[in-house]
Amino acid sequence: MRKDAKAKEFLRNPERFADAFNYYLYDGRQVINGSDLQEKDTEEMVFAGESRGSAAYRRQRDLLRGCVIKSDGRATYVLLGIENQSDLHYAMPVRNLLYDALDYAGQVKRTADAHSRNRDVHSADGFLSGFTAKDRIVPVITLVIYWGDKEWNAPKKLSDMYTDMDDSIREYAGDYRINLITPHDIDDFEKFHSELGEVLEIIKRQKETGLAESMLEKKGMEWTMSRSAVEIINCFTNSKITVGSEKGGSVRMCRAFEVLEERGEKRGIEKGIEKGIEKGIEKGIEKGIEKQLVTLIIKKLIKGKPVWVIADEVEEGEEYVSGICAIASEFAPEYNV
């Protein structure tokens, strides 16, 4: 429950919320802007029956926003919902279908209530339902974000949950498909334009021994992430990355990644970083940074880059880099770190 609450708080940020839908709906194109999102009540209650004493159905979503999407010369108002999953859910199609159905039923109910107050429905058909031929409902798109690194092998549509049936019957049985983002299935994290993509990439690759090196090469040694992003990483990878107050609350990732590197290489994700805790996290991290920095310098040395260029790229003093290069040259061509 704590994990889902953390994920909900992380995605409450409008830019991250919009980023998730831009990735899923538009392959990363920036169509939905965070500034265009309108927060909506996440609780929906619908009464079944004609009287207020009838059974009430109530469900509360994680996040729900209204948005005008402008694409291909058209403007469409939609409701966008996000449901966070820290674990596989084998009845997710039914759960999401219920959320969407309650949203639609709520829209119909509010329209009928408005007609009742205004006394503007005069046809027998419209009076019976409270909904006229001219009334319309707003489309609802619910997106499930699974925060695990495993493959989602749970049902993705309602028909995946059906018992065996004759094909002639299946054709007439209603279906419902969930919209799903799962790190395991993402190939190009550059399609994200917020920290959401970086968090999902780390979750997917958390067990890789070369995670720190490849990410730091791509992002640079000065790469930082927000405290909330690091807290999400901690939640879903069982890491113990400290979130200090450097740089206005951001975390320098060259420090943070060493924690994941040690876990992936030596003990695996389940055992965490017990050894690092026993010996002192700071000492272990510093040692890991040094090793990572030396590795990067040697890579650049092998490419034939001069000392001053290497020093500039890794943002260290020339004297320090020169010393490492001199020692490394003695171990050519193996360059044993």
Side-chain angles (χ1 to χ4, degrees):
M1 201 67 178
R2 176 179 173 272
K3 289 183 177 181
D4 289 343
K6 281 285 186 183
K8 177 180 176 180
E9 189 60 34
F10 180 68
L11 288 174
R12 195 179 295 278
N13 175 281
E15 301 307 320
R16 296 170 190 149
F17 187 101
D19 198 21
F21 278 96
N22 281 327
Y23 167 79
Y24 189 80
L25 298 178
Y26 300 105
D27 200 34
R29 287 192 296 120
Q30 299 302 282
V31 176
I32 303 172
N33 297 314
S35 58
D36 296 333
L37 298 171
Q38 306 163 356
E39 192 150 1
K40 296 293 184 180
D41 188 358
T42 57
E43 182 175 85
E44 190 69 68
M45 177 186 288
V46 175
F47 288 88
E50 300 299 323
S51 68
R52 298 294 287 183
S54 303
Y57 294 89
R58 173 185 294 172
R59 286 293 184 274
Q60 185 161 352
R61 289 181 175 272
D62 284 349
L63 296 163
L64 186 66
R65 304 278 171 85
C67 181
V68 176
I69 298 180
K70 299 176 182 178
S71 180
D72 300 325
R74 299 181 62 184
T76 306
Y77 184 74
V78 296
L79 290 174
L80 304 175
I82 285 182
E83 296 300 318
N84 295 293
Q85 277 302 123
S86 55
D87 299 297
L88 297 177
H89 194 304
Y90 290 94
M92 201 70 202
V94 172
R95 177 179 168 183
N96 271 23
L97 175 59
L98 179 57
Y99 285 146
D100 290 354
L102 286 175
D103 275 327
Y104 288 130
Q107 291 185 51
V108 171
K109 181 67 167 58
R110 287 188 287 275
T111 299
D113 288 345
H115 284 313
S116 179
R117 289 192 302 271
N118 298 331
R119 299 179 182 276
D120 56 2
V121 176
H122 305 295
S123 70
D125 292 336
F127 186 80
L128 178 64
S129 63
F131 199 84
T132 71
K134 294 182 179 180
D135 290 324
R136 294 292 181 268
I137 55 178
V138 176
V140 179
I141 302 173
T142 300
L143 178 59
V144 177
I145 299 183
Y146 171 56
W147 295 89
D149 64 327
K150 296 187 297 185
E151 182 179 4
W152 180 277
N153 61 10
K156 294 182 179 179
K157 56 183 184 294
L158 194 62
S159 57
D160 291 339
M161 301 174 62
Y162 288 155
T163 185
D164 290 338
M165 68 175 80
D166 188 273
D167 288 342
S168 62
I169 299 298
R170 180 181 293 272
E171 179 183 353
Y172 299 100
D175 208 349
Y176 175 90
R177 176 180 59 86
I178 64 172
N179 302 303
L180 176 69
I181 289 180
T182 172
H184 181 276
D185 295 333
I186 300 174
D187 296 320
D188 186 0
F189 291 91
E190 297 301 318
K191 292 180 180 180
F192 291 92
H193 295 265
S194 72
E195 288 182 317
L196 174 61
E198 295 165 355
V199 169
L200 294 176
E201 182 171 4
I202 293 169
I203 290 173
K204 175 178 181 176
R205 302 176 58 194
Q206 59 185 275
K207 297 175 185 175
E208 292 183 16
T209 56
L211 174 62
E213 180 180 342
S214 63
M215 289 295 287
L216 288 172
E217 272 200 16
K218 181 167 61 173
K219 300 292 183 179
M221 295 296 288
E222 293 301 311
W223 173 37
T224 62
M225 294 187 75
S226 67
R227 293 169 59 94
S228 59
V230 172
E231 287 173 353
I232 288 291
I233 293 170
N234 282 341
C235 263
F236 292 102
T237 64
N238 293 324
S239 301
K240 305 291 182 183
I241 301 171
T242 55
V243 284
S245 58
E246 51 186 308
K247 292 197 175 183
S250 60
V251 178
R252 192 178 179 192
M253 293 308 291
C254 66
R255 285 179 167 269
F257 263 112
E258 184 56 31
V259 179
L260 295 179
E261 186 78 0
E262 288 296 319
R263 289 173 57 256
E265 288 180 351
K266 297 180 180 179
R267 306 194 62 175
I269 190 68
E270 291 78 13
K271 293 186 178 179
I273 53 170
E274 294 171 359
K275 186 175 181 180
I277 295 173
E278 291 170 3
K279 292 185 176 181
I281 274 184
E282 287 301 323
K283 183 177 179 180
I285 290 176
E286 289 295 339
K287 183 178 179 182
I289 294 171
E290 187 75 16
K291 179 180 176 181
Q292 184 63 46
L293 184 57
V294 170
T295 302
L296 289 176
I297 290 173
I298 290 175
K299 278 193 167 187
K300 295 177 185 297
L301 177 65
I302 292 172
K303 292 179 180 178
K305 294 186 177 182
V307 170
W308 69 269
V309 171
I310 298 174
D312 182 66
E313 290 182 352
V314 301
E315 299 182 349
E316 292 289 347
E318 277 192 45
E319 184 177 352
Y320 175 80
V321 173
S322 177
I324 291 178
C325 289
I327 297 172
S329 297
E330 297 178 9
F331 292 89
E334 289 81 13
Y335 293 101
N336 184 293
V337 176

